[in-house]
Amino acid sequence: MSLKVAIIYNDPYTDIPNQIGESEAIIGVMEEVVAVRKALIKLGHIVQQVPLHRPLDEARNTLQTIRADLIFNIFEGFDDDPTSEPVIARWMEDLKIRFTGNPSHVLALTLDKVQTKLVLNTVGIKTPLYQVLNLDIVTHFNLEFPCIVKPKSEDASHGLLPESVVYNMQQLANQVERVSSNFGGSALVEEFIDGREFNASILGNDQLSLVEISEITYSLPPELPRLLTFESKWFEETEYYAGTGVTCPAPIDSGLRKTITDIVLTGCKAVGCRGYARVDMRQDSRGDIKVLEINANPDISPDLGIARQAGAIGLTYTQLIEKIVSLALE
């Protein structure tokens, strides 16, 4: 069945360059758009690209002009307002437009790392111990070092630097000040788990299925913390980019595979994921798997994340896009 499909996304040429050092992500955004477009055309659909621009009112007006059977949603929120991602989804719901991926309330929940932790903990899923701190209350710190300081409402490794891992109060205060100043007035401080790192993606609506499990591998100098930084994704000349790799499927035994699968499916169901999502996890010194975050509507660029995992189980990129479309039409 041929559909009229509109791809919505952040216009990277007007959005991303507003943040220092993020112009490198332009290529990534457009590669994702081009790949999705090619796959949709290959499936026989009529496709239009619809970049969204700030302010939000303009984006809403753009949505109202779209005449399509389906919107393929790869909008990730404007660079200075991550909460705009669920807002756009809610407007599409209000307009009764079918769209791919997760509904607005799931995007809003998973964007808030603290609220996501609370939901996961209620269903028995372990997450790193944490506090939310700013400079006024940094002396209330009661975790054990080392810790990691990160934005509490960002994804895609935004705000993560080697210095984000802290070992004493002075480093903690410096990073809390940096993150609080740049990302919304407070910082999420977590125990830093330096064990094996995994991620796994799901597909489905009422019935979720795990796609595959990947392991993030590090070959970094000993003075650098094993951490998926922003540099590791975008800056090819850095040690982090060169020293960060992925093995898929992850080399794990059947027991650990079952444990991770159960955690991923239970966690995604608990937060209400639909369409597709990815769960990021680390294994602590006792062997326990702790969920770092759930990423609703993760990057679907070829050879990354869910696309790599789909390939590992025999799905082509076009078949993955076809599955995401069919889930949106259910």
Side-chain angles (χ1 to χ4, degrees):
M1 178 178 64
S2 178
L3 302 172
K4 294 181 179 179
V5 183
I7 305 171
I8 64 167
Y9 57 99
N10 319 44
D11 184 350
Y13 298 101
T14 62
D15 190 43
I16 289 175
N18 290 323
Q19 285 194 5
I20 296 173
E22 294 200 2
S23 59
E24 288 79 3
I26 287 177
I27 295 174
V29 172
M30 294 314 299
E31 283 181 347
E32 185 178 9
V33 172
V34 169
V36 170
R37 178 187 177 91
K38 286 182 177 178
L40 290 170
I41 290 173
K42 190 173 181 179
L43 291 166
H45 302 310
I46 301 167
V47 185
Q48 65 176 134
Q49 295 178 201
V50 184
L52 299 183
H53 307 276
R54 292 176 297 177
L56 269 172
D57 284 346
E58 180 179 339
R60 183 182 177 90
N61 291 338
T62 300
L63 288 176
Q64 292 173 326
T65 66
I66 294 174
R67 299 293 178 265
D69 301 307
L70 177 73
I71 290 181
F72 203 107
N73 180 23
I74 50 179
F75 177 76
E76 295 184 351
F78 294 124
D79 63 358
D80 60 349
D81 183 13
T83 62
S84 56
E85 181 180 10
V87 168
I88 292 295
R90 188 177 72 248
W91 285 344
M92 289 191 288
E93 292 162 352
D94 292 343
L95 293 167
K96 309 298 184 187
I97 302 173
R98 290 181 182 270
F99 60 95
T100 61
N102 285 274
S104 62
H105 70 278
V106 175
L107 295 173
L109 172 59
T110 55
L111 188 62
D112 187 326
K113 293 181 173 67
V114 173
Q115 289 301 314
T116 300
K117 286 174 181 288
L118 295 175
V119 172
L120 294 176
N121 294 161
T122 63
V123 294
I125 293 176
K126 296 178 180 179
T127 61
L129 299 175
Y130 72 96
Q131 288 181 270
V132 177
L133 298 176
N134 57 45
L135 274 183
D136 293 333
I137 58 172
V138 71
T139 55
H140 296 178
F141 173 76
N142 61 15
L143 303 175
E144 293 186 5
F145 291 113
C147 286
I148 182 170
V149 184
K150 60 177 73 170
K152 60 185 180 68
S153 297
E154 293 281 346
D155 57 15
S157 296
H158 289 294
L160 289 187
L161 309 171
E163 297 79 18
S164 297
V165 179
V166 298
Y167 301 88
N168 57 53
M169 286 300 297
Q170 185 58 58
Q171 293 174 350
L172 174 68
N174 291 343
Q175 292 306 308
V176 167
E177 179 179 21
R178 178 183 68 85
V179 171
S180 297
S181 298
N182 295 328
F183 299 97
S186 60
L188 175 62
V189 182
E190 291 180 339
E191 61 173 339
F192 180 62
I193 300 171
D194 194 25
R196 298 177 72 180
E197 181 171 345
F198 304 101
N199 66 67
S201 301
I202 60 94
L203 288 166
N205 288 328
D206 295 332
Q207 297 294 321
L208 304 180
S209 61
L210 185 134
V211 181
E212 187 48 275
I213 303 168
S214 299
E215 180 172 6
I216 308 299
T217 57
Y218 296 96
S219 54
L220 296 167
E223 68 273 12
L224 293 179
R226 292 162 13 99
L227 179 67
L228 198 59
T229 65
F230 192 80
E231 286 182 352
S232 68
K233 295 184 177 182
W234 301 112
F235 293 87
E236 295 186 14
E237 72 282 2
T238 64
E239 288 182 297
Y240 267 96
Y241 189 95
T244 303
V246 181
T247 302
C248 181
I252 54 178
D253 61 33
S254 59
L256 184 53
R257 173 171 289 275
K258 183 179 186 307
T259 296
I260 290 175
T261 299
D262 289 345
I263 287 171
V264 170
L265 295 179
T266 301
C268 287
K269 184 177 180 180
V271 301
C273 289
R274 297 180 69 83
Y276 62 105
R278 190 190 73 237
V279 181
D280 300 337
M281 302 152 279
R282 278 200 168 185
Q283 188 176 34
D284 68 14
S285 58
R286 298 193 306 176
D288 291 335
I289 296 294
K290 293 187 176 179
V291 170
L292 305 179
E293 66 178 288
I294 295 181
N295 190 333
N297 292 13
D299 193 325
I300 53 170
S301 297
D303 304 321
L304 295 178
I306 188 172
R308 177 189 287 113
Q309 291 164 2
I313 63 169
L315 286 179
T316 67
Y317 187 74
T318 299
Q319 289 171 326
L320 172 64
I321 298 304
E322 183 178 31
K323 178 65 174 176
I324 291 172
V325 167
S326 68
L327 289 169
L329 296 174
E330 284 185 359

